[in-house]
Amino acid sequence: IDWEPLKSRWQQLYEALAKFYEENGHSVVPVKYPEDQSLSLWVQKQRRDYKTGTLSEENEAQLRRIDFVFDLYDAAFARGLEKLKMFQRENGNCRVPRSHPDQELVSFVKQQRRRYRRMLNGESSSMTDEWKRKLEKLGFEWKIRSDQWTENYEKLRSYRHEHGNCNVPSDNEHQSLYQFVSKQRMQYKRLQNGETNSLTPECIEKLESLSFVWNTNGARWMERYGELMRFQQENGHCNVPDKYSANTKLGSWVRNQRVQYRNLQSKKKSRMTPSRIALLEKIGFQWSVRKPAKQQ
């Protein structure tokens, strides 16, 4: 006669779990385990008993010998955290892009932010203070501009590393990234005009860390101005011929500066500014040049 049938049944199922552990390398029996559903139900009961404090110390010790997972949330978090640590070591941050090949890691970081938001809103959440500390120790960001913005930012950073600047062309190969940088400039212009925009100080700081040029027209003007300074140093004047074979763009640019200056003087629409006038006059730029008379 078995005087302790419950204890015997517990031991029987424990041995079944130990066998499962030997065959699979872990003791996480699926909730729906067709080979032995009674084992799955028993495993779930052990977790409930542990949580409520009704699991005996003897039974707990036996379960720990086969690496029993008492809290599935903790196990999943630990696995995800290890992957995130590896990503952080390789990339210097925890901003996992949506296109990352390890979609389990992508889901993990999204889930942590979702849990954190629920906790802040006073809603039911499995986020704990311990998890929060471990994530923040890695430099995990709870609020980011958006996954899509971060993904495009990382692409722009790669582009700058390869090309030395953030002036993305509008060709087919870079169309998506070109649209992204154009949108950032448009949002920055709206910000400067005091209009509603989606650009945050954090985004501005990140873009400017890449030497991002907000006004491409201004950048191109300064590039041509530098070319004119070199011409002046070599020739002693700024009168670049219209058809200057060594730099055809510079000749056209110089002619356009005079046109813009005349427009400004006539109170017409002009891109000429006082600061540009000062820079040009500093190197002896002449606003009016008499064309040589045609030979008879």
Side-chain angles (χ1 to χ4, degrees):
I1 297 174
D2 188 350
W3 298 106
E4 296 184 280
L6 292 177
K7 188 174 182 179
S8 300
R9 178 60 175 164
W10 194 97
Q11 194 61 38
Q12 181 184 350
L13 287 165
Y14 172 80
E15 289 170 6
L17 180 61
K19 184 180 179 183
F20 177 95
Y21 176 78
E22 288 178 15
E23 293 173 353
N24 297 277
H26 63 82
S27 59
V28 184
V29 180
V31 174
K32 294 182 180 180
Y33 184 51
E35 294 182 30
D36 190 347
Q37 190 59 34
S38 61
L39 178 59
S40 175
L41 293 171
W42 179 81
V43 164
Q44 293 173 55
K45 185 178 186 305
Q46 306 316 300
R47 292 194 181 104
R48 285 197 303 273
D49 290 349
Y50 176 80
K51 192 173 182 179
T52 58
T54 55
L55 185 68
S56 69
E57 291 183 6
E58 180 186 354
N59 289 350
E60 180 185 339
Q62 275 191 271
L63 289 167
R64 290 192 183 280
R65 290 191 200 109
I66 55 173
D67 299 326
F68 188 82
V69 177
F70 289 100
D71 191 323
L72 289 176
Y73 281 125
D74 276 340
F77 179 84
R79 186 170 62 250
L81 188 66
E82 283 305 310
K83 289 189 173 189
L84 187 59
K85 283 180 180 178
M86 188 178 299
F87 179 92
Q88 198 273 346
R89 282 196 296 269
E90 293 174 357
N91 298 274
N93 61 65
C94 297
R95 297 188 292 271
V96 182
R98 289 190 299 180
S99 57
H100 193 274
D102 189 344
Q103 285 298 300
E104 186 177 341
L105 177 58
V106 174
S107 298
F108 173 76
V109 295
K110 283 183 181 178
Q111 189 178 49
Q112 304 321 305
R113 291 189 177 106
R114 187 164 57 247
R115 286 170 171 168
Y116 181 75
R117 283 196 302 272
R118 291 181 63 86
M119 182 180 76
L120 288 183
N121 294 334
E123 301 172 11
S124 176
S125 171
S126 54
M127 177 59 65
T128 66
D129 290 339
E130 182 185 2
W131 289 2
K132 182 172 175 289
R133 280 194 301 272
K134 287 181 177 179
L135 287 165
E136 290 176 347
K137 189 176 179 180
L138 289 181
F140 190 79
E141 297 170 274
W142 297 110
K143 290 183 180 180
I144 56 174
R145 172 69 181 79
S146 74
D147 289 341
Q148 187 64 53
W149 194 95
T150 303
E151 188 173 336
N152 283 320
Y153 171 79
E154 292 300 329
K155 287 179 181 177
L156 182 60
R157 189 166 67 163
S158 299
Y159 180 92
R160 182 184 181 280
H161 179 75
E162 184 178 346
H163 297 89
N165 61 63
C166 297
N167 301 325
V168 182
S170 58
D171 54 31
N172 290 334
E173 181 185 355
H174 302 96
Q175 189 62 35
S176 176
L177 189 56
Y178 172 77
Q179 289 175 355
F180 170 74
V181 296
S182 296
K183 184 177 180 181
Q184 305 317 301
R185 290 182 177 121
M186 180 187 71
Q187 293 298 322
Y188 186 78
K189 187 175 181 181
R190 291 177 65 86
L191 175 67
Q192 297 295 93
N193 294 334
E195 300 172 6
T196 304
N197 67 90
S198 58
L199 206 56
T200 66
E202 181 188 9
C203 292
I204 293 172
E205 184 180 349
K206 287 180 178 178
L207 288 167
E208 290 184 343
S209 72
L210 302 180
S211 301
F212 188 81
V213 176
W214 296 107
N215 186 335
T216 51
N217 288 331
R220 280 195 294 267
W221 195 94
M222 288 304 298
E223 184 180 347
R224 293 284 175 268
Y225 178 75
E227 293 171 0
L228 181 61
M229 285 182 67
R230 288 191 289 274
F231 179 92
Q232 194 273 344
Q233 290 165 3
E234 293 171 4
N235 298 276
H237 62 81
C238 298
N239 300 329
V240 183
D242 281 354
K243 295 180 180 179
Y244 179 49
S245 59
N247 188 341
T248 55
K249 289 183 178 179
L250 181 58
S252 299
W253 181 82
V254 164
R255 183 176 67 254
N256 187 48
Q257 302 316 299
R258 294 187 175 114
V259 170
Q260 295 299 322
Y261 182 78
R262 286 197 299 272
N263 288 345
L264 181 67
Q265 297 295 92
S266 304
K267 302 198 183 306
K268 296 179 182 178
K269 186 176 181 180
S270 172
R271 289 194 295 273
M272 184 55 64
T273 66
S275 60
R276 290 180 178 183
I277 292 172
L279 285 170
L280 288 166
E281 291 182 344
K282 185 178 179 181
I283 58 174
F285 190 84
Q286 294 176 286
W287 297 108
S288 178
V289 179
R290 182 178 296 178
K291 293 182 179 180
K294 292 182 179 179
Q295 292 183 350
Q296 298 293 327

